[in-house]
Amino acid sequence: MDTKVWRPFCPLLFALAGGLFASPVAAQDAAVTKFVTYYQSAYAQGGDLIPAPQVALNTASISTELKLVTVKPVSALTGNSFLDANSDVIRLAGVQGCLSTDLLDFMGNKASCAMISLAGMTAGIEQAKNDAGDAFPCHFVGEIAGRPNIRFAECFFTQNDMVQSLSETMIEQGLAFAARDRAGNPVFPEYAKAENEARLSKVGIWANQYFRHPYGERYRANPTMN
C-alpha cells in the first residue's frame, strides 16, 4: 500500500475495528451520530443499506459536460459512500466496497473485508479533503430523491499535481472493487482494469491468499443490486 496516498489508513482501520463507529462523527450532533452508526453497523455486518441506481447513470457526462461541485464530507457510511454537510448521501458511482464479513490477514492484523473497505473509504475522504480545506470536487451523475437524498457521483483530489479519482485510487489500492451494473458490466471499464492489476499485483485485500471475490456475498446481502 502506498502510504504517501493513504497516510491515515492504519489508525483509522484500528479505530474502526476496535471502537467501531464513534470516532468518525465524535464532533457531530446526536442525530448525525445515530444516522452514521446505523449505516456503518449494517455495513460491518455485510449489508449495504444504500440502494443501487434505479435508472442508468449519466456517466458519459464526465467526458462531455464535466461540472464539478464542491462537497464537504462528514463521515463514511459504507465502503463506497459518505454523508455530506448538506445531509445528502454521496455514493461513488465507480466503486463497490467489499461486503464479505470474512476475516483477512491485513497489514499484520485481522479485519473483515467489509471493515477494510469502510476504513479505506474513511481514509480516502480524509486524504481528499485535506487537499482543498475540508472539501473536494465531485461530478454528479444521478440521484434518488428521498430521505435521505442519495446522489451518485465521481469525486476527485489532487496528488503530486495530478487530479486523481477517489474511486479509482481505492480500487488501485486493493481496498474496494470496480462497480458493475445490473448486467455485470463495469460502470467504468478503466476501473475494471485497475481492479485486475491490483489483483495480479496482490495489492491490499488481494494479498490474502484465502480472499474470496465478494460479488456473490454482495448480491445476496443486497438483493436490490440484482
Side-chain angles (χ1 to χ4, degrees):
M1 178 177 297
D2 186 351
T3 55
K4 293 181 180 179
V5 177
W6 298 107
R7 290 187 298 271
F9 185 82
C10 291
L12 282 170
L13 176 59
F14 301 148
L16 287 168
L20 217 55
F21 310 113
S23 58
V25 290
Q28 302 298 321
D29 61 39
V32 173
T33 300
K34 183 178 180 180
F35 181 88
V36 170
T37 299
Y38 177 70
Y39 279 87
Q40 288 187 343
S41 295
Y43 192 80
Q45 297 173 50
D48 189 346
L49 299 181
I50 300 171
Q54 297 174 343
V55 298
L57 298 175
N58 186 18
T59 55
S61 63
I62 295 177
S63 299
T64 61
E65 48 183 324
L66 182 66
K67 182 179 180 181
L68 296 176
V69 177
T70 300
V71 170
K72 186 174 182 179
V74 172
S75 176
L77 298 175
T78 73
N80 51 258
S81 64
F82 61 91
L83 180 69
D84 78 357
N86 293 322
S87 298
D88 287 339
V89 172
I90 310 298
R91 177 166 173 159
L92 298 180
V95 68
Q96 170 63 49
C98 184
L99 280 177
S100 171
T101 57
D102 290 345
L103 292 178
L104 307 180
D105 291 317
F106 190 78
M107 298 174 65
N109 294 273
K110 291 284 188 180
S112 74
C113 191
M115 292 307 298
I116 290 168
S117 282
L118 180 57
M121 182 77 254
T122 302
I125 61 176
E126 288 297 316
Q127 181 66 41
K129 72 181 186 179
N130 285 342
D131 295 313
D134 288 338
F136 48 78
C138 295
H139 174 83
F140 293 97
V141 296
E143 184 173 358
I144 300 176
R147 300 181 62 186
N149 196 50
I150 300 169
R151 306 184 73 187
F152 299 91
E154 280 298 282
C155 300
F156 306 91
F157 67 101
T158 302
Q159 178 75 21
N160 298 326
D161 297 323
M162 296 287 292
V163 175
Q164 307 282 342
S165 160
L166 179 55
S167 294
E168 188 171 18
T169 302
M170 289 182 63
I171 295 166
E172 289 173 342
Q173 297 291 322
L175 303 176
F177 311 92
R180 265 72 174 176
D181 61 20
R182 295 174 188 272
N185 299 313
V187 175
F188 296 99
E190 62 270 29
Y191 293 1
K193 180 180 178 181
E195 178 187 292
N196 190 52
E197 290 175 350
R199 179 180 63 82
L200 293 175
S201 300
K202 301 186 183 302
V203 174
I205 55 180
W206 296 108
N208 190 290
Q209 62 177 324
Y210 301 111
F211 175 70
R212 294 182 299 172
H213 201 285
Y215 293 137
E217 287 83 354
R218 174 162 65 94
Y219 286 140
R220 289 196 295 273
N222 186 3
T224 63
M225 294 293 293
N226 286 326

